[in-house]
């Protein structure tokens, strides 16, 4: 489980026990990545409550529960490591949505013409 302590720290509890620093130059926004492939965006609002948003689901089941002093993130999977990066110091691939290549000889010529017209 992870919860925000204040604008400068996140508390990690469970398989890994730690307090992670929110990067000072991140304006209260950061990315959390987990060993199972889960990617979470964390952001502190004007009220200093930490809010989590699931950006990418990994092998585990990520759940966010709202409590009076901020969100609590629970990841139901064995966590080997977790890391935090400032929002400006993280890179993420974007989906290209490229078409699948045509494989010669896979379809008959009439099938290929029908597929090409789609």
């Amino acid at each position: 489980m992870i919860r925000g302590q204040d604008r400068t720290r996140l508390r990690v509890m469970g398989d890994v026990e730690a307090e992670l620093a929110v990067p000072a130059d991140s304006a209260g926004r950061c990315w959390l990545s987990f060993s199972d492939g889960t990617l979470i965006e964390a952001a502190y609002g004007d009220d200093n409550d930490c809010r989590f948003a699931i950006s990418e689901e990994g092998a585990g089941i990520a759940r966010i529960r709202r409590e009076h002093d901020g969100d609590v993130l629970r990841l139901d999977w064995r966590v080997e490591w977790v890391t935090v990066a400032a929002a400006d110091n993280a890179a993420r691939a974007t989906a290209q949505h490229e078409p699948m290549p045509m494989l010669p000889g896979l379809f008959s010529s009439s099938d290929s013409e029908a597929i090409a017209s789609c």
Side-chain angles (χ1 to χ4, degrees):
M1 292 190 326
I2 295 184
R3 72 172 56 233
Q5 292 291 99
D6 54 36
R7 291 186 81 80
T8 63
R9 296 176 296 145
L10 296 165
R11 174 119 172 107
V12 181
M13 303 161 283
D15 295 331
V16 176
E17 297 279 337
E19 281 193 4
L20 299 174
V22 175
D25 60 345
S26 68
R29 289 184 54 239
C30 60
W31 291 98
L32 301 167
S33 61
F34 295 84
S35 54
D36 77 320
T38 300
L39 181 63
I40 303 291
E41 184 177 9
Y44 284 91
D46 293 334
D47 54 2
N48 287 330
D49 286 352
C50 184
R51 299 289 188 152
F52 296 114
I54 300 168
S55 182
E56 292 290 331
E57 291 195 28
I61 298 171
R63 294 180 291 177
I64 299 170
R65 183 179 73 232
R66 179 73 180 144
E67 291 190 354
H68 64 279
D69 58 347
D71 289 351
V72 175
L73 171 71
R74 181 180 180 96
L75 183 60
D76 291 330
W77 192 262
R78 173 113 177 107
V79 175
E80 296 176 11
W81 54 262
V82 57
T83 187
V84 68
D88 294 341
N89 290 334
R92 187 168 171 216
T94 57
Q96 299 298 321
H97 302 294
E98 295 177 9
M100 294 283 293
M102 295 297 293
L103 302 175
L106 183 61
F107 299 104
S108 68
S109 62
S110 61
D111 289 341
S112 296
E113 291 170 8
I115 292 170
S117 67
C118 289

